[in-house]
Amino acid sequence: MAVRESFLEGAISELGTDEVYWIKDIVVAVTGENMEVMKSIIQKYQHKRISLVEAGVTRHRSIFSGLKALAEDQLNSKLSKPEVVIIHDAVRPFVEEDVLLKVVTAAKEHGAAGAIRPLVSTVISPSADGCLDHSLERARHRASEMPQAFLFDVIYEAYQQCTDYDLEFGTECLQLALKYCRTKAKLVEGSPDLWKVTYKRDLYAAESIIKEIISQEICVVMDSKEDNKHVGHLLEEVLKSELNHVKVTSEALCLAGRHLQQIILDQCYNFVCVNVMTSDFQETQKLLSMLEESNLSILYPVVVVSVHFLDFKLVPPSQKMENLMQIKEFSKKVKERNILLYGLLISYPQDEQKLQESLRQGAIIIASLVKERNSGLIGQLLIA
Amino acid sequence: MAVRESFLEGAISELGTDEVYWIKDIVVAVTGENMEVMKSIIQKYQHKRISLVEAGVTRHRSIFSGLKALAEDQLNSKLSKPEVVIIHDAVRPFVEEDVLLKVVTAAKEHGAAGAIRPLVSTVISPSADGCLDHSLERARHRASEMPQAFLFDVIYEAYQQCTDYDLEFGTECLQLALKYCRTKAKLVEGSPDLWKVTYKRDLYAAESIIKEIISQEICVVMDSKEDNKHVGHLLEEVLKSELNHVKVTSEALCLAGRHLQQIILDQCYNFVCVNVMTSDFQETQKLLSMLEESNLSILYPVVVVSVHFLDFKLVPPSQKMENLMQIKEFSKKVKERNILLYGLLISYPQDEQKLQESLRQGAIIIASLVKERNSGLIGQLLIA
């Protein structure tokens, strides 16, 4: 479960980065037992906007704690009362900026707003003896999801007015705003991404979604920009035609690495490093140094495939492999920085058609490595 | 998506196998455009109990078609009217026999029964202007899931009596039984497995769940049973200690393969074949032949890791690798039968502690291969 949870930690932590710049403060309600772990996560990801409050025993009590922290003028507090507050669940890590904007805009107009989704199953009401009492018409009901947004004064007033019974057994903030402030929330259609990571299968789904997102771009790094006949360009072409939905770019390390720096800043998580002009691992080692210096791999593992070419007819692969075995040691070192390094030896026959076939095999292997991010296979030298 | 869908196809097809022997007939409602695909699936998996009817344009019309096929005495039909009928969705492939038994038993007593689950989100009712009208108390409502079971006469009567509006817009069979036959369905608590594969994330979750299920057992096949010091037994021990939740068994091919046949029949999907006593691939090839003869890989891909040992200090791995390169050709051949073959060369130093470490590395690689079932890496020779 460690890998899965660390993937999810990355996704949740993205919310704390600078991405949604117009959110000023983020208050997270955390149970006492998890307070230290949470503090260390904040430190690890260097979150600047997050404050912590102690969670209550129920959902509503936790939210109330968060609101109090924002409402009260406390000495030494960097928090101040906002006009609008968004309430969100950490178990919905895939929320898009778009829906956050929508609920905030609607809350400014209506006082309250929340995301909804169509019901997946029919909802029924059981009688006391465990039999069907009645079923609800599915088309007339919706699932209430998060995020929700409120004028701060509306929702804070509602929480101050509401009863202990509400705080103990209630589940719906929109209902509190309706009941205690007569504020009718605007309902906003949300996307399927807002689902709640509840069961083990949801952790599986979350991991796969994250892997899919970070596999959308592959950068082919080669040791010469000028040469159009560089075999790296041939590999780039084959990658483009084999991987339909993946953006494949190429960049040369030798050009002082300016563009490459930008690609790393733009969060490309996959690099194919072609070593042709230079000795075995020179190019790959330069790239690894750049990646280690950047903070790229802090959220998710970065895949680096070190590619080498050889005419198997002229030199048996075993001979070249001897040199390339050192990749195992490199891979152990960079694994500590969350970089997954694999080797790939591609057959480079003189025959044009056979070359295309071995490049295609190479592309399939690269696609597999990028898709699975299998840490058990780092340091392996694969052969296409 | 091909891999994902084929995993799911396997899961759904399991329902058609002999597993739940007390279900006599299975009627599947299929749209006209998918009829041919469905027929080919039935042929591929050699399902005996499945009959097909043409689906209607709504859920209720499809179910009604299925019920008619069971009710009417048709010439040339192998179907006959049952006492109890189960209604289920193909998009819930992980249904357990246990809950099928529970709804059938309850239906015999109450006339109707259905599986329910707690609500994950609060359910609300919107007003005409897209604002919150009211929210439902989550604790008093349940999600109605499948399977459901009915006395055949009850549900058939209900479908015959119900209106066109019901057939067009209704979603709940239990509601029809209540409305038209005054049969109050018994509600049975279902497990989380009953969820509906609805969104792309659900396909991801389904694939991961299936992969987890078929990775629960690894069989170590070795070329001598008698020798307790056989390195295969050492590897078996390390696998046991590294893979906590996996059942690791061992078997010798040389004993006429009787026990191994049983392990294959019991649906073990992972084999580690240790080649020590015999020449390079002799043992692995024997195992592959057995697997090809069995029908094991028809539902899900079978993983075979061909393991070889070598003292890297005495012989450089490159020399041995030359011989082992032919695994690429073997792997292409058995891939057509849905068998994923990988090679693993484990360092066998004289030093006891170093040997343990290389066996541990080998176990990590085996665990990765079994977990991911990555078809892009078949035929690779991995090194531990």
Side-chain angles (χ1 to χ4, degrees):
Chain A
M1 295 300 280
V3 176
R4 298 184 198 289
E5 278 162 14
S6 87
F7 265 100
L8 207 59
E9 190 183 297
I12 293 167
S13 285
E14 272 199 83
L15 296 178
T17 63
D18 298 334
E19 290 217 345
V20 188
Y21 69 91
W22 49 268
I23 294 181
K24 189 170 161 283
D25 296 304
I26 299 174
V27 179
V28 182
V30 186
T31 56
E33 62 198 293
N34 290 313
M35 197 57 89
E36 286 312 308
V37 179
M38 197 61 196
K39 281 180 183 165
S40 69
I41 289 175
I42 289 174
Q43 197 164 20
K44 178 178 166 194
Y45 296 102
Q46 298 177 16
H47 292 310
K48 304 281 178 247
R49 290 182 291 182
I50 298 185
S51 303
L52 300 179
V53 296
E54 187 148 336
V57 287
T58 64
R59 171 182 174 78
H60 273 333
R61 290 193 193 277
S62 294
I63 295 171
F64 198 9
S65 299
L67 293 174
K68 277 181 194 158
L70 285 166
E72 289 161 16
D73 277 332
Q74 289 165 341
L75 219 60
N76 299 327
S77 171
K78 54 172 188 168
L79 299 174
S80 54
K81 203 185 85 166
E83 183 199 353
V84 174
V85 64
I86 300 170
I87 300 178
H88 192 63
D89 300 326
V91 289
R92 303 178 198 258
F94 299 107
V95 60
E96 296 276 354
E97 182 167 358
D98 175 53
V99 72
L100 291 169
L101 262 176
K102 276 187 189 156
V103 290
V104 166
T105 310
K108 281 191 178 173
E109 191 184 338
H110 296 264
I116 54 166
R117 289 283 306 153
L119 292 175
V120 171
S121 302
T122 300
V123 174
I124 56 153
S125 179
S127 53
D129 60 349
C131 287
L132 175 70
D133 188 74
H134 63 278
S135 82
L136 276 62
E137 215 173 310
R138 211 199 281 186
R140 292 208 184 156
H141 293 84
R142 297 285 182 278
S144 171
E145 312 283 348
M146 291 277 147
Q148 295 175 347
F150 302 87
L151 288 175
F152 185 85
D153 292 335
V154 166
I155 192 67
Y156 193 49
E157 175 73 18
Y159 271 95
Q160 283 177 308
Q161 296 292 329
C162 78
T163 65
D164 273 350
Y165 185 88
D166 287 321
L167 290 176
E168 211 57 40
F169 301 104
T171 54
E172 183 54 73
C173 308
L174 300 181
Q175 180 67 18
L176 293 185
L178 179 65
K179 192 168 163 191
Y180 294 103
C181 300
R182 292 196 200 132
T183 301
K184 277 187 106 175
K186 181 70 185 173
L187 304 175
V188 174
E189 285 293 337
S191 72
D193 305 332
L194 293 178
W195 107 100
K196 216 163 160 179
V197 178
T198 311
Y199 298 105
K200 193 174 181 187
R201 66 164 189 266
D202 296 314
L203 282 176
Y204 287 145
E207 183 182 349
S208 296
I209 288 171
I210 293 167
K211 282 184 172 177
E212 190 187 74
I213 292 170
I214 61 180
S215 301
Q216 292 305 306
E217 186 179 355
I218 298 176
C219 176
V220 181
V221 179
M222 47 196 101
D223 41 10
S224 152
K225 184 79 178 176
E226 311 311 318
D227 186 1
N228 280 330
K229 285 185 180 162
H230 194 293
V231 68
H233 285 296
L234 296 181
L235 181 61
E236 187 188 342
E237 288 312 309
V238 177
L239 274 170
K240 278 180 185 165
S241 66
E242 287 290 315
L243 308 175
N244 278 327
H245 302 292
V246 178
K247 176 180 164 198
V248 181
T249 54
S250 71
E251 202 49 58
L253 263 175
C254 50
L255 292 175
R258 221 165 354 107
H259 296 92
L260 195 55
Q261 289 287 12
Q262 192 55 47
I263 288 171
I264 292 173
L265 275 176
D266 291 347
Q267 300 188 316
C268 170
Y269 282 94
N270 311 286
F271 297 88
V272 172
C273 192
V274 182
N275 298 265
V276 183
M277 317 295 278
T278 49
S279 79
D280 290 339
F281 286 106
Q282 207 176 318
E283 211 59 18
T284 300
Q285 280 181 301
K286 271 196 266 175
L287 173 65
L288 290 173
S289 301
M290 279 182 76
L291 289 171
E292 284 184 294
E293 277 168 36
S294 81
N295 235 352
L296 178 63
S297 56
I298 193 168
L299 286 181
Y300 308 114
V302 173
V303 166
V304 176
V305 184
S306 184
V307 177
H308 310 265
F309 289 92
L310 189 70
D311 188 338
F312 290 3
K313 274 255 171 72
L314 302 179
V315 189
S318 52
Q319 200 169 316
K320 177 88 174 175
M321 286 170 102
E322 211 79 0
N323 302 334
L324 298 177
M325 285 298 173
Q326 28 172 340
I327 195 168
K328 207 146 212 177
E329 295 313 310
F330 295 146
S331 76
K332 276 185 204 159
K333 198 178 131 267
V334 295
K335 174 69 175 64
E336 288 164 22
R337 298 294 300 268
N338 210 16
I339 297 171
L340 308 177
L341 174 65
Y342 313 91
L344 175 59
L345 184 54
I346 299 183
S347 169
Y348 191 99
Q350 299 306 315
D351 179 294
E352 177 66 25
Q353 207 178 331
K354 281 186 186 159
L355 175 60
Q356 280 298 319
E357 179 49 30
S358 59
L359 288 171
R360 214 180 63 82
Q361 287 295 326
I364 290 171
I365 292 172
I366 291 168
S368 294
L369 295 172
V370 164
K371 186 178 157 232
E372 306 283 359
R373 285 171 204 271
N374 192 326
S375 65
L377 298 182
I378 57 163
Q380 293 296 330
L381 185 60
L382 307 165
I383 297 182
Chain B
M1 296 301 278
V3 175
R4 299 185 197 288
E5 278 162 15
S6 87
F7 266 100
L8 208 60
E9 187 183 299
I12 293 167
S13 285
E14 272 198 84
L15 295 177
T17 62
D18 297 336
E19 290 217 344
V20 189
Y21 68 91
W22 48 267
I23 294 180
K24 190 170 160 281
D25 296 303
I26 299 173
V27 179
V28 182
V30 186
T31 56
E33 62 199 295
N34 289 313
M35 197 58 88
E36 285 312 308
V37 179
M38 197 60 195
K39 281 181 184 166
S40 69
I41 290 175
I42 289 175
Q43 196 165 19
K44 178 178 166 194
Y45 295 103
Q46 298 177 16
H47 292 310
K48 303 281 180 244
R49 290 182 293 181
I50 298 185
S51 303
L52 300 180
V53 297
E54 186 148 338
V57 287
T58 65
R59 173 183 173 78
H60 273 333
R61 291 193 193 278
S62 295
I63 296 171
F64 197 9
S65 299
L67 294 174
K68 278 181 194 160
L70 286 165
E72 290 162 15
D73 276 332
Q74 289 165 340
L75 217 61
N76 299 327
S77 172
K78 54 172 190 170
L79 300 173
S80 54
K81 203 185 85 167
E83 183 198 354
V84 174
V85 64
I86 300 171
I87 300 178
H88 191 62
D89 300 325
V91 288
R92 304 179 197 256
F94 299 107
V95 61
E96 296 276 353
E97 181 166 359
D98 176 53
V99 71
L100 291 169
L101 261 176
K102 277 187 188 154
V103 291
V104 166
T105 311
K108 280 190 180 174
E109 192 184 334
H110 296 263
I116 53 167
R117 291 281 308 152
L119 292 175
V120 171
S121 303
T122 300
V123 174
I124 57 154
S125 178
S127 54
D129 60 349
C131 287
L132 175 70
D133 188 74
H134 64 277
S135 83
L136 276 61
E137 214 173 310
R138 212 199 282 187
R140 292 206 183 157
H141 293 85
R142 297 285 183 279
S144 171
E145 312 283 348
M146 290 278 147
Q148 296 176 347
F150 302 86
L151 288 176
F152 185 85
D153 292 335
V154 166
I155 192 67
Y156 193 49
E157 174 73 17
Y159 271 93
Q160 284 177 308
Q161 296 292 329
C162 78
T163 63
D164 273 350
Y165 184 87
D166 287 319
L167 290 176
E168 209 59 38
F169 300 105
T171 55
E172 183 54 72
C173 308
L174 300 181
Q175 179 68 18
L176 293 186
L178 179 65
K179 192 168 164 192
Y180 295 102
C181 300
R182 292 195 199 132
T183 302
K184 277 187 107 176
K186 181 72 184 173
L187 304 175
V188 174
E189 284 292 338
S191 72
D193 305 331
L194 293 178
W195 106 101
K196 216 164 160 178
V197 178
T198 310
Y199 298 107
K200 193 174 180 185
R201 66 165 189 266
D202 296 313
L203 281 177
Y204 286 145
E207 183 182 349
S208 296
I209 289 171
I210 294 167
K211 281 184 172 177
E212 191 187 73
I213 293 170
I214 61 179
S215 301
Q216 292 307 304
E217 188 180 356
I218 298 177
C219 176
V220 182
V221 179
M222 48 196 100
D223 43 9
S224 150
K225 183 79 179 177
E226 311 311 318
D227 185 0
N228 280 330
K229 287 184 177 162
H230 193 292
V231 68
H233 286 296
L234 297 179
L235 181 61
E236 186 187 344
E237 287 313 309
V238 177
L239 275 170
K240 278 179 185 164
S241 66
E242 288 289 316
L243 308 176
N244 277 329
H245 302 292
V246 178
K247 178 180 164 199
V248 181
T249 54
S250 70
E251 202 50 58
L253 263 175
C254 51
L255 291 176
R258 223 168 351 108
H259 296 92
L260 196 55
Q261 290 286 12
Q262 191 56 47
I263 289 171
I264 292 173
L265 275 177
D266 292 346
Q267 299 190 317
C268 170
Y269 282 95
N270 311 286
F271 297 88
V272 173
C273 191
V274 182
N275 297 264
V276 182
M277 318 295 278
T278 50
S279 80
D280 291 338
F281 286 107
Q282 206 175 319
E283 211 60 16
T284 300
Q285 281 181 301
K286 270 197 265 174
L287 173 65
L288 290 173
S289 301
M290 278 182 75
L291 288 171
E292 285 185 291
E293 276 167 36
S294 81
N295 235 350
L296 179 63
S297 56
I298 193 168
L299 286 181
Y300 307 115
V302 173
V303 166
V304 176
V305 185
S306 184
V307 178
H308 310 265
F309 289 92
L310 190 69
D311 188 337
F312 291 2
K313 275 254 171 70
L314 301 180
V315 188
S318 52
Q319 199 169 318
K320 179 88 174 173
M321 286 170 100
E322 211 80 1
N323 301 334
L324 297 177
M325 285 300 172
Q326 28 171 341
I327 195 168
K328 208 146 210 177
E329 295 313 310
F330 295 147
S331 76
K332 276 184 202 159
K333 199 178 130 267
V334 294
K335 174 69 174 61
E336 288 163 22
R337 298 293 300 267
N338 209 16
I339 297 171
L340 307 177
L341 173 66
Y342 313 92
L344 175 59
L345 184 54
I346 299 183
S347 168
Y348 191 100
Q350 299 306 315
D351 179 296
E352 177 68 25
Q353 206 178 332
K354 282 185 185 159
L355 175 61
Q356 279 299 319
E357 179 50 30
S358 59
L359 289 172
R360 214 181 61 83
Q361 287 295 326
I364 290 172
I365 292 171
I366 290 168
S368 294
L369 296 172
V370 164
K371 185 177 157 234
E372 306 283 359
R373 284 170 206 271
N374 191 327
S375 65
L377 299 181
I378 57 163
Q380 294 296 331
L381 184 61
L382 307 165
I383 297 183

